[in-house]
Every structure is written in C-alpha cells, then in structure tokens.
Amino acid sequence: MSLNSDHAFKFGCGRYIQEKNAIGKYLAAEAKRAGTKAFVLCGNNGYKAAHEKIDHALTEAAFPYQYRLFHSTCCLENADELAEEIRKGGFDLVIGVGGGVLMDTAKLTADRAGAAIITIPTSSATCAAFTPHSVMYDRRSGATIGSLKLMRELDACIADLEVLVRQPARLFCAGAMDSMAKKIEIEHRYDPENCILGLDYAHTVAEMLYDQLDTRTEEVLRDMENGVISDAFERLIFDIIPVTGVVNGLSKGSNQSAVAHRFYEECRSFFYDETKDFLHGELVALGLLVQLSYTGSDPAPVLRKLEHMKLPVCLSDIGVPLSGAAVFERELCRSSAIRDESDSTRKRMHEALEIIVR
C-alpha cells in the first residue's frame, strides 16, 4: 500500500499548465503522454463546467475515454471500488475534473489502481488539484479522518482560465482565504532559529502569497464578475493552485497547518450536518479568526475581509450552536496544533473563541 509511508519532499505535480483554453490546447497531448484510455471522474458541477472542452479535445485526438459521475466523499472504500472499475475497464489514466473532494478522490483512486492522474480544476476553492495527498473522510459519518500522503506526484494539472473565470465568486474567495491561511498558520509554529527543513522557505513563499491575495482579491472579483481573464486573475489563480501547493510540499503537507485547519477538521468531525454545505476554505477562514486571537494578533483585518467577501464570520453563520464553542475549546487544545490541555491554555483558547461565539 503506497500511503502514509513516504517522507520525501514532493512539491505538487510533474506538469502544471495554466492558459486560456488549456484543455483544448493541451489535454490530448498530456493524456497521450500519461496513458492510453481515460477514466474521467467528475461530479455534476465539474461535468457541466468542462465536459464540452474535454469531449472536443479527446474526440478530436481519437483518445478513448469514459465519464464516471461521482457523488460521494473521499475514502478508501470509494477509491477501491472505483479502482476496481478502472481495472475491469482497462483504463490506465484517471482524469479528475471538479473541486477539492473530487480531486482528492481522483488522486487516491489513481494511486489505488496504479493509474496515471491528470487533474482539471473547475474550482480554485483549494489547491487539491496540485498536491500529492488526499484528505480523507469517513464514508458513513462524513467526519474527517486526516490526510493520506501519496507516493508520487501528479502527472499533470491543467488549469483552463476560461473555465475558472466562470466559477462562482464564493469558490474563489474560499480558495483565496485557504491560501492566505498558510502564512498565519506557519507563523504559529515558526522559529527562524530552529525550524524543520523547508519550513523557512515555506514561510517566505507564504508571505508573498498573503500579500498578493490581500491586495488584489477585490480587483480580481470585479474582473470575474465581468468575465475578464485579467493579468491579476491569472496571477491569483497561479497563487491559489500551484504556489499554495508548493508551500504545502515544502512543509510536507502538515507543518503549514495549525489552529485554522484544525478548526475545519473539528467542524467536519463534530458538526458535520451543520457544516457539510460549507467549503473547506470558508471554515478555515473562520478558524483563522480564532488562530489570530489565540496568538495575540489583531483579527480585525481578516474579519473585515471575510465580511466584504460575504463569508461566515461566526458560529451562527455556519449553523453551529453557541454551545459548540466548548467542543472547539477542548478539541483544539488537545489537537496537534496546541497539545496543551492545561487550565491556562484552555482559558486562552476560550477567550480566543469568543470572537466567533455569536
């Protein structure tokens, strides 16, 4: 089994292509480079966003393919069932089309089937189209159970700007906040005099990411509203997908995460029904307010940004009862982000959570 046994640095995917009409220009060549028959895994939204471009590219190239619509979550059971379909159908290439959960499922499925993997993101809500690991969930409860590191990087990621400019603004905002979180979370555990190998570089790149996204997101949202693929839009898509993925790789997939991402995981684990319709980046962004309060930083700039983007800013916005704050207090303190359940730390976390308890 090629999961959770590798400690190598892996920085994303072997080939990243980002252009207007990237699917039409490059998908057929990348598919031929990677395999001979494609299993195109997508959800309804991904199919609607990209199937015409995919159909045209692969049909023109006489490259055999078959769609498989997927509506569940990323877990070993689902991946193994899909991998069996792949083996029986003689497919040697998985093309994942869609958002975060779909990307994670496609990567894991390809790994389990021993197939090549190409991703086509139709959303920039996370960097999942680029990173060589999959966030896992319990198939029955929906609770998150952590991430599995894959042994090899993706064969290619094709980011078609004509597809991505049409994504809902909400998805872009969630991805922007997830990327901005990297700097804030790395600083939670970053000591320039004594840090793990790679984390100093991750911190430097994350600072650049934060500055770009902080200053240009509003401009890009206006461009997207008008359907304009501007230089700013292209740069921020590059920031959110591959550059954020490189930060992930430099920190080996977990050391860039702290309170904000743990907050997301506790939402999925303890309040799944309440939060299942909220995006990864939306919940991470809400956790950032707690992160900043906990470390004594000023959360006001991030709070104003979330309000401007119309993203959740408190527990009631995500349907979690105010009593849920006690669960977050307990679980965050015992998590890998804090690892301290002393009375003083619990008190500090309790006070930090007050910013979202309304």
Side-chain angles (χ1 to χ4, degrees), residues 128-143:
F130 191 86
T131 54
H133 73 261
S134 292
V135 180
M136 306 291 292
Y137 302 89
D138 183 273
R139 182 154 71 167
R140 290 159 295 279
S141 70

Side-chain angles (χ1 to χ4, degrees), residues 318-348:
I318 59 172
V320 173
L322 302 189
S323 60
V327 175
F328 288 113
E329 177 188 321
R330 180 189 71 235
E331 296 300 324
L332 289 172
C333 287
R334 67 172 51 162
S335 74
S336 59
I338 305 296
R339 288 199 178 97
D340 184 353
E341 297 184 69
S342 66
D343 290 343
S344 59
T345 298
R346 289 284 295 261
K347 181 176 183 294
R348 182 178 168 192

Side-chain angles (χ1 to χ4, degrees), residues 74 78 88 94 121 201 207 228 271 285 299 307 313 331 351 355:
C74 183
N78 284 336
K88 287 181 176 179
V94 175
Y201 293 96
E207 285 187 312
V228 175
F271 303 100
E307 290 173 336
V313 297
E331 296 300 324
E351 292 170 349
I355 192 171

Side-chain angles (χ1 to χ4, degrees), residues 158-172:
I158 300 174
D160 191 319
L161 296 174
E162 293 175 351
V163 171
L164 290 168
V165 78
R166 296 196 301 267
Q167 68 180 304
R170 177 189 176 194
L171 299 180
F172 177 84

Side-chain angles (χ1 to χ4, degrees), residues 217-262:
T217 294
E218 191 170 333
E219 170 192 355
V220 167
L221 287 171
R222 288 196 299 270
D223 292 336
M224 291 176 65
E225 187 175 1
N226 294 313
V228 175
I229 301 174
S230 62
D231 290 342
F233 172 75
E234 185 165 3
R235 177 171 289 278
L236 292 202
I237 290 296
F238 191 73
D239 285 343
I240 292 169
I241 299 177
V243 178
T244 301
V246 168
V247 171
N248 187 299
L250 284 166
S251 50
K252 289 193 174 180
S254 60
N255 291 297
Q256 90 285 0
S257 299
V259 171
H261 272 79
R262 290 301 309 195

